[in-house]
């Protein structure tokens, strides 16, 4: 394509953007989600299940937070806030004999580097130790070897406990958790780190902090495409071909000079406000397919542009991701501008109306205190829909389904 044609195409795209942003401001009506998804989103789990919380020694949870309070604010913090929520939840039972589900409050993402990044290397040992504790102090684990237990495992690759995909695949899901229900942020179809029956949840994003950055709803959306974050991870991927499977690098190389794209590695203090001024927010994979940008985009009404092949998204039975987002194949990143500028205005407006639905935003957040329809309640809804348990989950006396000595030697060391 010659320079005149490129200029004409760019001018047409800019004209579409300007007309679109002008109309979006006047179209902030809320649209309810139709069909089963809308019903599921508004379900109330109270009265549908009972959860028993194991009382573990505080070294597995509270002492970890006391040692490093940064655990409360990183994107893996759902495991901490889920515990706090359940302690006062109406679904909690103090009688384990009447419980539908058993919960083990162990904080495996609270071992942090000096820079605040979770180290997964001790996590398998912490988790094994916790399972050994509950199996030796209560009879309930041994009845099913975890089939009526759930664990919150918000690591990059869930219970595979590693932040690099190749090593996570090599490890696989921790053997002792292979009968349990895993509540995790990681989700990718046909992946060894996503167990069938897992409940996929959003990562933690600080609700109160986000609330303080809300802009007036009539604020014009004057940014067409917005993204802040890494394009290359030179420290962990110096050659540049492994991180984000090259998708983020492709975004930068193709669109760093495109006036429709406001993209940078800088993270300005107006980051949240900027998202509320954008029509599309890029949500590309990083080391894992998911990131907090997905939560931020939904909460701030910015149409999420999901670039992560085969991703399994949070609460997919309640949130119609196909209707509120745009999915871009990783190989199609070079065509991102053409794809986005070709979306009809009426489609954009409907996505924005759906995103304006308060129940949609609520489902993506872990507020304190909890609120009806939030992510805590969506998790309980997911557990309730799995009831009643199949009789086959209960083992006969002496029967064993799990191999306690399976796994890397380092995982078998005491913690």
């Amino acid at each position: 394509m010659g320079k005149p044609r490129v200029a004409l195409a760019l001018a047409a795209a800019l004209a579409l953007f300007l007309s679109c942003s002008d109309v979006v401001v006047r179209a902030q009506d809320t649209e309810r989600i139709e069909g089963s998804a809308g019903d599921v989103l508004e379900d109330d789990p109270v009265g549908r299940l009972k959860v028993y919380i194991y009382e573990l020694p505080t070294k597995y949870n509270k002492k970890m937070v006391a040692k490093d309070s940064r655990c409360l604010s990183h994107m893996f913090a759902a495991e901490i806030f889920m515990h706090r929520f359940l302690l006062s939840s109406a679904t909690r039972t103090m009688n384990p004999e009447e419980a539908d589900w058993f919960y083990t409050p162990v904080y495996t993402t609270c071992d942090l580097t000096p820079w605040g990044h979770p180290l997964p290397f001790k996590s398998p040992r912490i988790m094994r130790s916790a399972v050994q504790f509950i199996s030796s102090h209560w009879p309930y684990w041994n009845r099913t070897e975890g089939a009526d237990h759930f664990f919150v495992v918000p690591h990059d690759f869930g219970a595979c406990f590693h932040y690099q995909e190749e090593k996570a695949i090599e490890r696989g899901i921790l053997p002792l958790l292979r009968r349990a229900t895993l509540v995790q942020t990681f989700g990718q179809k046909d992946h060894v780190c996503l167990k069938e029956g897992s409940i996929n949840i959003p990562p933690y994003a600080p609700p109160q902090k986000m609330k303080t950055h809300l802009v007036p709803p009539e604020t014009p959306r004057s940014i067409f495409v917005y993204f802040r974050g890494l394009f290359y991870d030179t420290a962990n991927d110096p050659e540049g071909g492994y991180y984000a499977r090259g998708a983020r690098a492709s975004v930068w190389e193709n669109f760093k000079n495109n006036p429709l794209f406001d993209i940078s590695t800088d993270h300005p203090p107006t980051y949240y406000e900027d998202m509320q001024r954008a029509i599309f927010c890029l949500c590309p994979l990083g080391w894992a397919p998911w990131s907090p940008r997905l939560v931020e985009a939904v909460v701030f009404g910015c149409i999420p542009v999901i670039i992560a092949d085969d991703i399994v998204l949070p609460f997919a039975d309640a949130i119609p991701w196909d209707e509120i987002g745009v999915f871009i194949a990783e190989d199609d990143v070079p065509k991102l501008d053409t794809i986005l500028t070709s979306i009809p205005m009426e489609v954009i407006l409907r996505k924005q109306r759906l995103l304006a639905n308060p129940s949609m935003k609520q489902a993506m957040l872990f507020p304190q205190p909890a609120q009806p329809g939030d992510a805590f309640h969506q998790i309980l809804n997911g557990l309730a829909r799995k009831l009643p348990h199949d009789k086959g989950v209960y083992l006969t006396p002496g029967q064993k389904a799990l191999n306690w000595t399976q796994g890397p030697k380092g995982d078998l060391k005491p913690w």
Side-chain angles (χ1 to χ4, degrees), residues 93-314:
T93 179
M94 305 303 290
N95 179 7
E97 293 296 334
E98 67 176 17
D100 300 298
W101 288 99
F102 295 84
Y103 168 64
T104 307
V106 52
Y107 303 165
T108 58
T109 65
C110 211
D111 182 24
L112 305 181
T113 68
W115 302 275
H117 301 135
L119 280 169
F121 310 117
K122 291 182 184 177
S123 299
R125 292 164 55 202
I126 297 171
M127 187 64 80
R128 278 181 58 89
S129 176
V131 172
Q132 287 170 336
F133 183 87
I134 63 173
S135 66
S136 61
H137 286 75
W138 290 272
Y140 308 106
W141 172 273
N142 300 314
R143 296 187 314 188
T144 65
E145 287 200 323
D148 54 357
H149 289 55
F150 70 93
F151 295 82
V152 182
V153 282
H155 281 274
D156 293 272
F157 288 92
C160 288
F161 294 125
H162 208 285
Y163 65 91
Q164 291 184 338
E165 184 174 20
E166 185 177 343
K167 293 179 180 178
I169 291 172
E170 184 181 325
R171 289 186 53 84
I173 292 172
L174 187 72
L176 290 188
L177 299 185
R178 291 180 183 172
R179 283 175 61 83
T181 289
L182 303 180
V183 178
Q184 61 185 60
T185 44
F186 171 74
Q188 184 172 315
K189 296 174 185 175
D190 302 319
H191 198 286
V192 298
C193 298
L194 179 63
K195 178 178 174 290
E196 184 179 357
S198 297
I199 296 175
N200 286 92
I201 64 172
Y204 177 78
Q208 290 304 318
K209 181 180 178 182
M210 298 172 79
K211 189 175 181 179
T212 62
H213 288 266
L214 290 175
V215 303
E218 66 274 11
T219 302
R221 291 193 177 267
S222 54
I223 301 169
F224 192 60
V225 180
Y226 187 76
F227 176 78
R228 291 293 183 273
L230 290 178
F231 297 99
Y232 301 90
D233 187 346
T234 54
N236 296 295
D237 181 30
E239 295 182 5
Y242 189 66
Y243 177 62
R245 297 197 283 257
R248 291 196 186 199
S250 182
V251 169
W252 178 249
E253 296 302 331
N254 283 283
F255 304 110
K256 58 187 174 184
N257 297 319
N258 189 315
L260 294 177
F261 284 67
D262 187 344
I263 59 175
S264 172
T265 56
D266 296 334
H267 203 288
T270 57
Y271 173 69
Y272 285 157
E273 288 84 353
D274 293 343
M275 292 190 84
Q276 294 168 82
R277 297 186 181 99
I279 296 172
F280 295 104
C281 288
L282 301 186
C283 301
L285 74 162
W287 284 111
W290 60 272
S291 84
R293 290 177 190 83
L294 200 62
V295 177
E296 295 160 350
V298 171
V299 169
F300 292 135
C302 185
I303 298 170
V305 179
I306 300 162
I307 307 171
D309 292 353
D310 297 321
I311 189 172
V312 177
L313 290 158

Side-chain angles (χ1 to χ4, degrees), residues 1-16 260 337-338 341:
M1 183 182 290
K3 289 184 179 180
R5 292 181 64 189
V6 170
L8 285 171
L10 183 57
L14 282 168
L16 171 64
L260 294 177
D337 55 346
T338 303
T341 55

Side-chain angles (χ1 to χ4, degrees), residues 47-106:
R48 300 170 60 209
L49 77 166
K50 293 183 179 181
V51 177
Y52 180 76
I53 305 173
Y54 287 117
E55 291 287 341
L56 297 186
T58 56
K59 71 174 185 177
Y60 292 103
N61 40 61
K62 294 178 183 177
K63 280 189 177 179
M64 288 186 166
V65 177
K67 179 182 176 182
D68 197 334
S69 62
R70 293 177 298 173
C71 300
L72 293 167
S73 57
H74 65 33
M75 60 184 174
F76 308 94
E79 64 181 359
I80 299 172
F81 292 113
M82 188 67 190
H83 181 202
R84 294 183 178 183
F85 161 72
L86 286 173
L87 288 172
S88 59
S89 170
T91 63
R92 183 186 184 185
T93 179
M94 305 303 290
N95 179 7
E97 293 296 334
E98 67 176 17
D100 300 298
W101 288 99
F102 295 84
Y103 168 64
T104 307
V106 52

